[in-house]
Amino acid sequence: ERAGQDRSADTAWKLIQALKDESSLVRGEAATALQAFGAESRLSAVPLAFALTDEDEKVRRQAASALQRLHAFEPEVARALAGALRDPDPYVPMQAALALRNMASASIAALPQLLDLLGDVKDSVRGLSCFALEELCAICPEALAALVRATRDDSESVRATAFRSLGRSGIASPECVESIGDGLNDPAEESRVAASLAFYQLTGETR
């Protein structure tokens, strides 16, 4: 059994080295393959985070997808994932946001970046930031307050995402319930629907 573990760790290390290969195809396949190495794949989280800045968008996609499955806990990984929310390729930010949520409380290392991204000019970036902040609400009042503010965003999609995140957070504070209650009268249907569901999730009442 020990010999098998050693071989597995050795293979994982070789794949980590392959993330630096001159071929983007090799780098991308290495990122994908690292998802299958269980405990040893923890060693790959930081190298994969560096791969989020690869010049090739396919490599960045594969690195983000791998990190989404690793449930990493390293602070530098959280910060790299937050930076990837601004990636020009639409797939990378979505996978990065999922990876941050999967990190749960460990994603707090990226809190300053996520709060800053709520002021980004792109609606999609602000929305993904709301999504990523969801898991931090229970341990970080700043995250909760930021989501409450986001329910008043100019973008209806961002407001809807903020309502959904507040509902899933399970935190029925007066501020949350009040902001969600206000959302029941939002001019956008998507936001009203999201607010209605969130209101039910936090209060057990329908409106």
Side-chain angles (χ1 to χ4, degrees):
E1 182 181 351
R2 177 60 183 272
Q5 291 176 343
D6 289 344
R7 284 194 297 273
S8 181
D10 182 61
T11 302
W13 176 247
K14 289 178 180 177
L15 288 170
I16 290 171
Q17 295 300 109
L19 291 172
K20 303 175 184 177
D21 195 272
E22 62 181 18
S23 166
S24 61
L25 179 61
V26 172
R27 297 196 303 274
E29 290 303 313
T32 298
L34 281 165
Q35 300 175 40
F37 280 84
E40 290 83 6
S41 65
R42 289 287 188 182
L43 302 172
S44 68
V46 173
L48 282 169
F50 280 109
L52 291 172
T53 60
D54 195 279
E55 62 184 16
D56 189 290
E57 66 181 27
K58 292 181 180 178
V59 176
R60 299 197 304 275
R61 286 184 177 190
Q62 288 165 293
S65 181
L67 285 168
Q68 194 263 123
R69 292 168 172 79
L70 284 186
H71 298 264
F73 56 85
E74 296 85 352
E76 55 266 56
V77 174
R79 290 189 285 268
L81 287 166
L85 296 182
R86 279 189 168 132
D87 193 284
D89 179 84
Y91 182 83
V92 174
M94 287 189 292
Q95 292 299 307
L98 285 168
L100 280 165
R101 279 195 71 218
N102 289 343
M103 291 183 74
S105 61
S107 66
I108 197 166
L111 179 64
Q113 289 168 274
L114 292 173
L115 295 177
D116 181 63
L117 289 170
L118 286 175
D120 196 88
V121 296
K122 295 179 66 175
D123 297 358
S124 60
V125 173
R126 300 199 303 276
L128 289 171
S129 298
C130 289
F131 181 78
L133 282 167
E134 182 181 313
E135 290 295 320
L136 292 176
C137 288
I139 62 170
C140 181
E142 289 178 86
L144 187 65
L147 282 179
V148 169
R149 290 194 299 273
T151 63
R152 300 186 292 273
D153 194 275
D154 291 338
S155 165
E156 65 183 73
S157 64
V158 175
R159 296 196 302 274
T161 301
F163 286 132
R164 294 187 193 105
S165 291
L166 287 173
R168 288 191 296 258
S169 76
I171 301 175
S173 68
E175 296 81 7
C176 286
V177 174
E178 181 181 1
S179 65
I180 291 170
D182 292 341
L184 298 173
N185 296 313
D186 195 282
E189 180 180 17
E190 180 187 7
S191 296
R192 292 196 304 274
V193 170
S196 179
L197 176 59
F199 194 84
Y200 175 76
Q201 289 172 313
L202 295 188
T203 68
E205 301 176 10
T206 56
R207 291 286 183 90

